Amino acid sequence: MANIEKHGTGYIYGLAVRLLPMLLPVLLLASCNGRGEHVALLDRADSLLSAGSYDEARRLTDSIGTGHLSRSEEMRRLLLLADIANQCYEPLPSDSIMQQVTDYYDAYGTPNEQMRAYYLRGYASADRGDSPSALDFYDKASSCADTLSRDCDFLLLMKVHSQKALLLENNLSPQLIADECLAASRFALKARDTLSAIICYEHSSAGYEMLGMADSALKIKKKAYDEYKKYGFESAAARCAGVIASSLVSDGRYSEAAPYMQEYESKSGFFDSNGDIESGKETYYYTKALYYIGIGDADSAERLLRQNLPKDDTNMLEAYYRGMSRVSQMRHQPDSVSKYSLLALEMSDRHFRETSSEQLLRMESLYNYEQHRRIAAEKSRQAAQARLVLLAIVALVVVFLICLYFWHRARQRHQELRFHQLEELHRIREEQISAAKDDLLRLRQQEYESAIESKQSELSALEQESESLRLRLDRQGSIISSYRLKRKAKDGSITVDEQLRQSPSYLLLSEFCTSPSASLPASVWQDLSQLFSEVHPHFRQSLVAACPSLSDSEYRICMLIRLGFKPGDIVNMTGNTSSNISNIRKRLLSRIFQKEGSVKDFDALIMKI
């Protein structure tokens, strides 16, 4: 009470500021409430989903419940449930739920979590037939990806672009299809999923086919086929062979199509033991019928069209009628040609009407999408106004708190001023005492350093004198050794090679090879050159006569090779790199001996001089 009466509200304010950091950890621990267990369960469910155990992941996610989950845990649980439904081809949660998920991860999620949320929301919109919204969400998903990060989920990014390409194909956007497929292929390669990368690349041919660029589409299919073969995906290569065969047959290249058709039927896995293709892929029979028509086998073509081509679909009926028209044309049956041509035209008209209806539905969907966008823009404007009002209120509160802070600081300043004055006087006296001590120590240190420098100069002089004596002794020893070698050479008791290898220069170079120092002094090279001039004068004369522009560094390399040193030793002695030494030897082989060959050929010719 005495402190409060003495210092007033300023004391209370300072006490609160000091106690707040101590109370904050206690408050944080109290707010946890055992949520670590929920996070562990969600992590486990996510791992099971990644491993393909969808039922186990769903069971574990459902067991968590929603009673005591934080907002982040609840949003993650909803995201997991949506991903499980997507993997199991089940209806995804409503758009209102998915909007909560995307809004949350937009504010608090990592780039991978944001991309995952928008991808699933786009998938849900595509299931409902809302293609424009789905494309918008896929665009947002791809824009969330941080492709420069090492943790970027490139596999999910590949799925985003693949689904976008599928929607664009349904909405007849050929150029965009190719772009999205190539982007999906690129991200699949970054995710190290080679098979998916090739599949996406192959699918890009659909855009070129819709643009009427059949040659470009065929080139892409063949390249994808080669890539399947290269990486050992035999069944995928066989399925691609069927697509290539269809393009070749349409182009009238029947002989090229035959091996692809045979591989498709034998290795694709789409045919049973009786040779019948699985349901949904009967269009291949129309391609094969066209192949038989192209090679002149009308009977086989008719049999395929009548027995194997289903008649319960507009496209299949149109294909059947067109095929039978061409068969009748081969058999010169004008009535049948006219009949089947009219039926094919009727099926084409029906297909056009159905396609037109789908186009109208897409246009209506686009109109609804624009309506939703206008409504969303209006709500966004209202939210922005509300945010401005909130920011103004917050600004006023902040200004009030700042004024309160400065008021307290002004009341404390006059008390702190007297304390600082006393503290400054004490500091000045301490500095004066410390400066006097430092001056005394500095004088003693200077005297000690001057004595050390004097002794070091004397020691350096003695070392230089010792080194000079050693060099003189080495020089005298070299002269004596050279004199002895010259006498032996005159007597004929020693060869040129022996004279070279018994010389002091050779011994010094050999010692350098065993324990190399920083670099060889210039005197060593002078002694070595003098040695060759005295013992083997023909060596330099031969080299200079063949190559007058021979440099000193090149002559040194020739002398070292003649002495029998290895290339690695030559690198150490000359200070060059191994590649430079090899290049010089090859160049000298051409300049001196006018030959082309390897460095070993050059060494052998030098040794023969």
Side-chain angles (χ1 to χ4, degrees), residues 129-376:
D130 190 357
S131 298
S133 296
L135 289 172
D136 188 27
F137 292 135
Y138 286 146
D139 284 336
K140 289 181 179 179
S142 60
S143 66
C144 291
D146 184 5
T147 55
L148 299 179
S149 172
R150 296 178 59 185
D151 299 330
C152 181
D153 192 348
F154 289 109
L155 191 60
L156 179 58
L157 190 55
M158 180 270 293
K159 294 178 181 178
V160 171
H161 286 280
S162 298
Q163 292 297 326
K164 189 176 177 183
L166 185 61
L167 279 178
L168 291 169
E169 185 174 354
N170 294 334
N171 287 275
L172 304 177
S173 301
Q175 184 57 55
L176 296 177
I177 294 172
D179 295 341
E180 293 299 326
C181 288
L182 292 176
S185 177
R186 185 172 67 255
F187 291 123
L189 285 177
K190 289 189 175 182
R192 293 181 172 84
D193 189 347
T194 307
L195 179 58
S196 296
I198 302 173
I199 291 173
C200 293
Y201 176 76
E202 178 193 352
H203 194 67
S204 67
S205 63
Y208 291 100
E209 285 181 341
M210 294 171 68
L211 288 170
M213 302 168 64
D215 292 339
S216 299
L218 181 59
K219 188 182 296 184
I220 290 173
K221 294 171 188 176
K222 285 187 175 182
K223 185 176 180 181
Y225 173 81
D226 293 337
E227 292 295 315
Y228 286 132
K229 288 285 189 180
K230 176 181 176 181
Y231 291 100
F233 302 122
E234 293 296 333
S235 60
R239 294 167 187 175
C240 183
V243 181
I244 295 173
S246 177
S247 298
L248 291 172
V249 168
S250 299
D251 203 24
R253 297 154 66 178
Y254 304 110
S255 59
E256 295 182 43
Y260 288 109
M261 294 172 65
Q262 183 179 0
E263 183 176 359
Y264 178 69
E265 293 176 6
S266 60
K267 297 181 181 180
S268 65
F270 291 152
F271 294 83
D272 57 18
S273 57
N274 297 325
D276 296 329
I277 199 168
E278 67 180 41
S279 177
K281 295 181 173 57
E282 293 88 350
T283 52
Y284 173 71
Y285 289 125
Y286 178 67
T287 299
K288 194 169 183 180
L290 293 180
Y291 168 76
Y292 282 133
I293 292 171
I295 62 175
D297 190 352
D299 294 337
S300 298
E302 182 178 4
R303 184 172 63 255
L304 274 176
L305 292 171
R306 290 187 181 278
Q307 295 179 3
N308 298 323
L309 207 62
K311 313 297 190 301
D312 55 352
D313 181 75
T314 304
N315 288 332
M316 291 293 101
L317 271 175
E318 183 181 352
Y320 169 72
Y321 291 142
R322 290 187 183 278
M324 289 302 298
S325 175
R326 295 184 64 175
V327 170
S328 301
Q329 189 176 5
M330 287 179 62
R331 292 175 173 171
H332 305 290
Q333 298 172 346
D335 294 340
S336 298
V337 171
S338 177
K339 167 189 169 184
Y340 287 119
S341 296
L342 289 173
L343 290 172
L345 181 61
E346 182 182 346
M347 289 300 105
S348 177
D349 290 341
R350 183 185 300 177
H351 179 66
F352 175 75
R353 289 194 298 271
E354 293 174 355
T355 305
S356 299
S357 299
E358 292 176 0
Q359 291 288 345
L360 287 174
L361 289 175
R362 277 197 289 269
M363 290 176 63
E364 182 180 358
S365 178
L366 286 170
Y367 173 76
N368 292 335
Y369 174 66
E370 291 299 327
Q371 284 287 98
H372 291 318
R373 289 193 63 172
R374 284 195 293 271
I375 294 172

Side-chain angles (χ1 to χ4, degrees), residues 498-548:
E498 290 174 342
Q499 290 180 60
L500 293 174
R501 290 201 169 95
Q502 291 180 13
S503 65
S505 297
Y506 178 81
L507 296 177
L508 180 60
L509 292 172
S510 301
E511 182 181 355
F512 177 82
C513 292
T514 57
S515 56
S517 60
S519 62
L520 285 170
S523 60
V524 175
W525 298 111
Q526 295 173 1
D527 294 342
L528 183 61
S529 179
Q530 182 66 28
L531 173 67
F532 268 84
S533 298
E534 294 174 356
V535 176
H536 194 1
H538 177 65
F539 183 76
R540 183 176 180 88
Q541 294 171 3
S542 301
L543 295 178
V544 173
C547 181

Side-chain angles (χ1 to χ4, degrees), residues 57-66 77 81:
R58 189 198 303 275
R59 183 188 60 77
L60 192 60
T61 306
D62 291 338
S63 68
I64 296 174
T66 60
R77 188 184 74 86
L81 289 175

